[in-house]
Amino acid sequence: MIQIKNIHKYFRTKEKVLHALQGINLTIEAGKVFGIIGRSGAGKSTLIRMINLLERPDEGEVIIDGTDITKLSDGELRRLRQQIGMVFQHFNLLNSRTVLDNVIYPMRIAGVDKATRKARALELLKLVGLEDHIHKYPRQLSGGQKQRVGIARALTMDPKILLCDEATSALDPETTQSVLALLNEINRTLGITIVLITHSMDVIRNICDQVAVIDGGKIVEQGEVVEVFLHPQHDTTLALLSESGVDADGWKLFVHDIQGDVIRLTYHGQAAAEPLLSQISQELGLSLSIFQGAVGKIKDTPFGQLVIVVNYPEGKSIEETQQKMQTFFKEKNVDVEVLQA
């Protein structure tokens, strides 16, 4: 488990003092994929570098498995860092060395014997799908292949934690998906805790279990990805979702053209597979139209979020019909929010 307690970080210049991290508190459970999302300058890179003390906090504690690592000696810190792999945005490969030698390099520095380090490197390159490229040089690889080398290199010392510093931001969308799938598989099969930073909600949705939203050096929202994605609370979260194509308030653009009650339905898991609108329309005689919607998956969890317009049947009590509708959706574990009545 990783615990970040009341972390503050200041960067000082002659002109001013920048309070980069302002009282950050996070708990990252072992074996989870934890995302930290924010815009450029929000403090996310500084925060992730606290976990292996590439950046030291000015105040606060960084606790890994019960040990405050800010109090470790230099030798103890070097040993700890062998348990924390890191994947970088721009790959940081040695251009003069082959793919195999790039992966071997950290083990050579750590004093691992020659036979062991080569066998380990070959094993990891097979894991990341590059066993046929071991004698190539970085210049001969695509961006996605370079990042796979970086991932293999980060795993050489069998780390408990893998830090990903914008690991997909330099990649095209298709390559991003393949790298995220690889990270997901590594998390599942090896049980490694993965902490990644990104500016993309799509990355968070595809791979993360939990997320923290950072803005201006502060955590403004955090929780399970399903909850944060489907029930965002902070303006920064709403804006990041909108930038990724999920605009929860897009229906307001047409508010003057809507006749009927406007309702947002939010659901995930089993409810996503059921024909809910068809069922309730038939049972209660409702006239329903979908005004805005998104369906898909958040990691492995199917979800749906629909904005619908409801018109009630004539000759029946609207209040009674509304109550029956609320009961129906509650029994199906669907959250109902009345946006306009």
Side-chain angles (χ1 to χ4, degrees):
M1 179 182 289
I2 303 167
Q3 294 172 288
I4 295 172
K5 293 187 175 182
N6 197 33
I7 287 292
H8 291 262
K9 179 66 179 179
Y10 303 88
F11 292 108
R12 296 172 173 85
T13 67
K14 291 181 180 180
E15 292 78 23
K16 63 180 181 179
V17 176
L18 173 64
H19 196 177
L21 297 178
Q22 304 179 35
I24 300 290
N25 289 283
L26 288 177
T27 297
I28 300 171
E29 298 176 23
K32 298 290 187 179
V33 182
F34 193 99
I36 300 168
I37 187 169
R39 295 192 178 89
S40 297
K44 57 187 185 295
S45 290
T46 302
L47 177 54
I48 199 173
R49 289 163 66 89
M50 291 285 169
I51 296 174
N52 57 4
L53 291 193
L54 290 179
E55 292 283 359
R56 280 190 170 270
D58 292 299
E59 301 173 33
E61 301 173 305
V62 180
I63 300 170
I64 297 179
D65 293 337
T67 299
D68 182 358
I69 66 173
T70 65
K71 295 181 169 58
L72 296 180
S73 66
D74 290 344
E76 290 170 330
L77 184 56
R78 282 194 295 272
R79 288 190 290 273
L80 172 80
R81 283 176 174 158
Q82 292 182 355
Q83 301 176 39
I84 305 175
M86 193 158 191
V87 181
F88 300 92
Q89 177 180 359
H90 296 297
F91 319 127
N92 288 15
L93 301 181
L94 301 170
N95 291 321
S96 62
R97 296 178 182 269
T98 65
V99 166
L100 182 62
D101 286 338
N102 265 278
V103 179
I104 282 175
Y105 187 73
M107 293 183 283
R108 180 183 289 125
I109 296 299
V112 177
D113 68 86
K114 187 174 182 179
T116 300
R117 67 196 186 212
K118 183 176 182 180
R120 176 66 173 160
L122 290 172
E123 175 190 355
L124 290 171
L125 286 167
K126 183 177 181 181
L127 174 68
V128 300
L130 292 178
E131 63 267 35
D132 295 332
H133 301 271
I134 64 174
H135 299 305
K136 290 183 177 180
Y137 289 85
R139 65 180 177 275
Q140 298 173 292
L141 303 177
S142 68
Q145 289 171 331
K146 289 177 184 178
Q147 197 57 287
R148 287 170 180 267
V149 176
I151 292 169
R153 181 185 57 189
L155 297 175
T156 53
M157 302 306 294
D158 195 22
K160 296 179 180 178
I161 300 166
L162 185 63
L163 306 179
C164 299
D165 187 356
E166 293 275 14
T168 61
S169 64
L171 306 176
D172 62 71
E174 184 177 352
T175 306
T176 292
Q177 290 303 312
S178 70
V179 170
L180 291 178
L182 174 61
L183 291 172
N184 207 10
E185 182 66 17
I186 287 169
N187 169 253
R188 264 199 307 260
T189 58
L190 304 181
I192 294 174
T193 304
I194 297 179
V195 184
L196 63 87
I197 62 171
T198 182
H199 59 269
S200 170
M201 270 293 185
D202 287 336
V203 170
I204 298 294
R205 180 177 60 189
N206 276 304
I207 189 174
C208 295
D209 301 299
Q210 298 166 327
V211 63
V213 182
I214 187 169
D215 185 51
K218 299 178 181 178
I219 300 298
V220 296
E221 189 163 356
Q222 61 179 298
E224 299 290 325
V225 171
V226 170
E227 290 304 314
V228 172
F229 191 89
L230 296 179
H231 303 285
Q233 301 298 312
H234 196 272
D235 288 345
T236 299
T237 313
L238 289 165
L240 288 166
L241 283 167
S242 179
E243 290 164 12
S244 71
V246 182
D247 186 359
D249 293 327
W251 66 274
K252 291 182 179 178
L253 295 173
F254 309 96
V255 64
H256 298 299
D257 300 321
I258 298 173
Q259 294 183 349
D261 289 358
V262 183
I263 295 173
R264 179 182 289 128
L265 307 176
T266 302
Y267 50 92
H268 59 271
Q270 180 61 35
E274 297 187 35
L276 301 177
L277 297 187
S278 175
Q279 289 178 21
I280 196 168
S281 177
Q282 292 177 18
E283 287 185 19
L284 299 182
L286 301 176
S287 174
L288 304 176
S289 56
I290 299 174
F291 207 71
Q292 178 183 333
V295 293
K297 279 190 173 183
I298 298 174
K299 198 170 184 179
D300 298 321
T301 302
F303 80 93
Q305 189 167 69
L306 305 176
V307 176
I308 64 173
V309 179
V310 182
N311 285 283
Y312 302 99
E314 295 183 5
K316 293 185 179 181
S317 166
I318 292 178
E319 292 181 356
E320 183 179 345
T321 304
Q322 287 174 333
Q323 183 60 49
K324 288 180 178 179
M325 182 176 65
Q326 292 277 356
T327 301
F328 172 87
F329 284 125
K330 184 177 181 180
E331 290 175 349
K332 299 292 185 179
N333 294 315
V334 176
D335 292 332
V336 179
E337 181 183 0
V338 178
L339 303 176
Q340 177 180 290

